[in-house]
Amino acid sequence: MKKLLLITLFVILSLGLVTAADATSFPFKPISARTEGMGGAGVATAKATDSLFMNPATLAHGKFSLNMPSVSLTVFNVLDILNSDIPQIIETGGDDMPLNLAMEFLNKIVTAGRGEILTTDVGVSFTGGGFGLGVNVQEQLHTISSDGSLTNDKIIAEVNVAAPIGLGFRFNLVPDAISLDVGASVKFVYRAYTQKIGAVQLTSLVESDDPMQSLMENTLVTAGWALPIDIGVNLNLPVGLRVSAVARNINGNYNMKDYTELGGWLNEMTSLAGMDPIYQDNAPATDIGAEYAVQVPWTLDAGFGWAPYIGKALQPSLAVDLSDVLGVIDGSKKLLDNASAGVELKLLSFLTARAGINKGYYSVGVGLDLLIAHLDVSYFVREFGVEIGDKRVDALTIRFNLGVDGQ
């Protein structure tokens, strides 16, 4: 009963922190090499840092993990890049390499609709005893185009900073047989992204006398913050079975502002950090717009996991997820569009193999654990179109971290 009161109090306090915000934005989640290798599934099988973003109820297992730090790089359109002139441009180098790379990518890689170029995730985290906290910084480069032609291709840069904190408790319903995990996490998230930058603007920036100053003066930025909450539950059954559910992005309200200059926004950030301004404003003073609301609804996700204990030398697990359960039930979402599944097989405590499927697309991954050094690699395919088959995009994620991974 005391544990139940504590978790209830934690949720109430978290809700109280975010009631002042009136808008939501897209939920923040780092790209996880482990879950992507398993088809993106992991609601019932999340571990270590993933617990803070996938399902806080899995913190209740109490396992210790420490990432100091964790660094991952995700490159999209891998096969298209290898078949383009990008490798030769990088090998040749030169002062024009950045512009040549951008032009080659926009001209040969970008297709109609939205897409991704590159994502980096850097974080530190700790979990143990049902408690978890961390800090993650993510950079993303997006693309958007009306028809995939060079003149209409645009690039958007985005930065996210998230500081999650979570609690999880386990209630033994039937000793050594059935238990219930309850958990909640709240994340402070700050998000900033630039205006759409096209080929013409990119060329003028690079060819200006001071490209960096020109970028600072002529790039619009939108930025804001939120404190979204996730609440999860796990029903743990015999022989390693688990049924899970997560209410995600509850009251994830973002307060957003528009800045007429990238440099002005950057100076505001350095000022908050107690640093001197790094941008010398030669243009008119930065104009900061009034706060406005952007809202994205919360979702209910469900998961099934099976991790039977065979022995330390062989540790298999299975995960099946269904995202936005309510949307599937009311018919606004398709079942196959929201289902994912994956398997993981840990061999001899240092080698892990993974495979999965998401919307009919495959994924594979491998993990290597060497004492305090951990390396995870995954290759996966995701759908960026409206319907399955509209826009297939492949990606490669490489993650390295030092510490105790807890996986």
Side-chain angles (χ1 to χ4, degrees):
M1 182 58 69
K2 290 182 179 179
K3 291 181 178 180
L4 183 59
L5 290 174
L6 282 173
I7 195 71
T8 303
L9 179 61
F10 179 80
V11 172
I12 291 173
L13 289 175
S14 301
L15 287 169
L17 289 172
V18 299
T19 51
D22 299 322
T24 61
S25 188
F26 298 104
F28 169 81
K29 186 175 71 171
I31 294 179
S32 168
R34 177 176 183 264
T35 57
E36 293 299 345
M38 297 175 66
V43 169
T45 58
K47 300 177 181 178
T49 304
D50 291 343
S51 298
L52 293 167
F53 296 96
M54 292 290 292
N55 181 3
T58 56
L59 290 169
H61 58 54
K63 292 184 179 180
F64 175 79
S65 72
L66 179 66
N67 293 322
M68 297 292 288
S70 170
V71 180
S72 69
L73 173 69
T74 303
V75 179
F76 296 83
N77 303 284
V78 179
L79 296 181
D80 289 338
I81 289 174
L82 292 176
N83 292 325
S84 71
D85 293 333
I86 290 177
Q88 290 75 21
I89 294 173
I90 295 175
E91 182 179 355
T92 303
D95 295 337
D96 294 333
M97 185 182 72
L99 181 59
N100 291 337
L101 281 175
M103 292 299 101
E104 178 71 4
F105 192 92
L106 291 170
N107 192 35
K108 292 187 178 180
I109 309 299
V110 177
T111 57
R114 67 184 185 91
E116 302 287 342
I117 301 176
L118 182 75
T119 297
T120 58
D121 291 284
V122 180
V124 295
S125 66
F126 159 82
T127 66
F131 176 73
L133 77 165
V135 176
N136 288 81
V137 179
Q138 183 186 76
E139 168 276 329
Q140 293 179 294
L141 288 177
H142 310 279
T143 63
I144 188 169
S145 179
S146 59
D147 57 8
S149 64
L150 181 62
T151 55
N152 291 320
D153 293 347
K154 310 290 183 181
I155 294 176
I156 302 171
E158 179 180 348
V159 175
N160 290 281
V161 180
I165 182 172
L167 284 174
F169 294 107
R170 174 162 294 177
F171 304 93
N172 290 311
L173 305 180
V174 178
D176 301 321
I178 301 176
S179 62
L180 180 70
D181 300 333
V182 181
S185 66
V186 58
K187 299 179 286 289
F188 172 80
V189 182
Y190 187 86
R191 180 190 187 195
Y193 56 93
T194 68
Q195 69 186 83
K196 301 173 185 177
I197 301 175
V200 175
Q201 183 182 358
L202 187 63
T203 302
S204 64
L205 286 174
V206 174
E207 293 179 348
S208 64
D209 294 334
D210 190 341
M212 184 57 66
Q213 185 73 14
S214 180
L215 178 68
M216 292 291 180
E217 291 181 356
N218 299 294
T219 305
L220 304 179
V221 174
T222 296
W225 62 274
L227 286 165
I229 298 168
D230 294 345
I231 300 175
V233 294
N234 300 322
L235 179 61
N236 304 305
L237 302 169
V239 298
L241 294 173
R242 172 180 288 173
V243 180
S244 305
V246 181
R248 200 180 305 284
N249 198 43
I250 297 175
N251 201 25
N253 300 323
Y254 279 69
N255 294 314
M256 307 298 293
K257 290 182 180 179
D258 293 330
Y259 297 76
T260 57
E261 294 180 303
L262 172 61
W265 170 80
L266 189 60
N267 281 348
E268 182 177 288
M269 295 301 100
T270 56
S271 175
L272 291 174
M275 301 167 57
D276 294 331
I278 60 176
Y279 163 63
Q280 302 301 318
D281 194 354
N282 296 327
T286 302
D287 183 22
I288 303 175
E291 287 188 346
Y292 61 92
V294 180
Q295 186 170 1
V296 171
W298 70 279
T299 60
L300 178 65
D301 298 347
F304 168 81
W306 183 40
Y309 180 77
I310 298 176
K312 292 184 177 181
L314 185 64
Q315 302 177 46
S317 64
L318 167 71
V320 179
D321 284 5
L322 181 62
S323 61
D324 196 1
V325 175
L326 299 181
V328 172
I329 293 175
D330 67 22
S332 61
K333 301 286 186 177
K334 295 181 179 179
L335 177 62
L336 291 180
D337 287 356
N338 290 267
S340 59
V343 294
E344 180 180 63
L345 184 62
K346 194 165 187 177
L347 304 168
L348 303 175
S349 75
F350 68 90
L351 181 64
T352 304
R354 304 177 181 110
I357 188 168
N358 186 313
K359 297 183 180 180
Y361 296 124
Y362 67 90
S363 62
V364 292
V366 63
L368 185 63
D369 296 333
L370 299 174
L371 297 178
I372 63 170
H374 311 275
L375 178 67
D376 293 280
V377 180
S378 63
Y379 178 78
F380 56 96
V381 178
R382 291 292 175 266
E383 178 60 60
F384 278 69
V386 177
E387 300 289 341
I388 296 177
D390 286 351
K391 189 172 183 178
R392 174 190 183 278
V393 176
D394 65 330
L396 177 71
T397 293
I398 301 175
R399 173 183 179 263
F400 175 79
N401 68 295
L402 293 174
V404 180
D405 207 28
Q407 295 186 7

